[in-house]
Amino acid sequence: MNMFQAVISVFSKYAEFKGRARRSEYWYFVLFNVIVTVILILIWGFPGKGHYNIPLTTYRLAVLCPSIALCWRRLHDIGKSGKYWFVSLIPIVGSWIFLYWAAQPGEIGTNPYGHDPKFPDQR
């Protein structure tokens, strides 16, 4: 999966919290968000410097739901309930824990959350 396919996949599953998401889908979408955020900051400036970056805020709100759904599906891929996403809301340590989980390889084969997205033909 390349970045373009990952972004299309995430936005086509805008609010889908069922199923699984591969590591490549997750990390390419993270990279896409970083690139778009940097571009918006370079064009309109940093928020809080006497003005408000409306395009950046609009973009962040537009990707909020797909990002949470992607994280939820990523947790499903490693065999955890999507509810573990709430761990990321714990200050400081929560984001590190989620980062560790996001970097883990997905479970091979079918798990309780669906078929393996890496090898969809092996059912």
Side-chain angles (χ1 to χ4, degrees):
M1 176 174 283
N2 60 35
M3 186 185 305
F4 181 73
Q5 292 169 329
V7 171
I8 295 298
S9 174
V10 170
F11 282 118
S12 67
K13 298 174 186 173
Y14 190 85
E16 187 175 321
F17 289 82
K18 293 181 181 177
R20 296 168 62 173
R22 293 177 56 187
R23 267 190 303 187
S24 60
E25 181 180 1
Y26 177 80
W27 289 110
Y28 276 133
F29 191 70
V30 168
L31 178 62
F32 174 78
N33 280 328
V34 168
I35 291 169
V36 171
T37 299
V38 167
I39 289 170
L40 290 174
I41 287 173
L42 290 174
I43 293 172
W44 280 279
F46 287 95
K49 295 254 183 183
H51 64 284
Y52 197 68
N53 193 331
I54 294 173
L56 178 60
T57 303
T58 304
Y59 173 74
R60 288 285 176 96
L61 287 173
V63 297
L64 180 64
C65 185
S67 296
I68 294 171
L70 175 62
C71 292
W72 206 274
R73 291 191 315 271
R74 179 72 200 119
L75 287 168
H76 285 175
D77 193 43
I78 62 168
K80 296 195 177 302
S81 169
K83 294 175 188 173
Y84 279 94
W85 174 81
F86 291 106
V87 169
S88 66
L89 299 177
I90 299 170
I92 303 169
V93 295
S95 55
W96 287 104
I97 292 169
F98 187 83
L99 180 67
Y100 173 76
W101 287 336
Q104 298 301 305
E107 288 186 349
I108 297 172
T110 302
N111 72 11
Y113 304 103
H115 300 292
D116 189 350
K118 192 170 186 178
F119 304 106
D121 296 333
Q122 296 178 359
R123 293 183 185 204

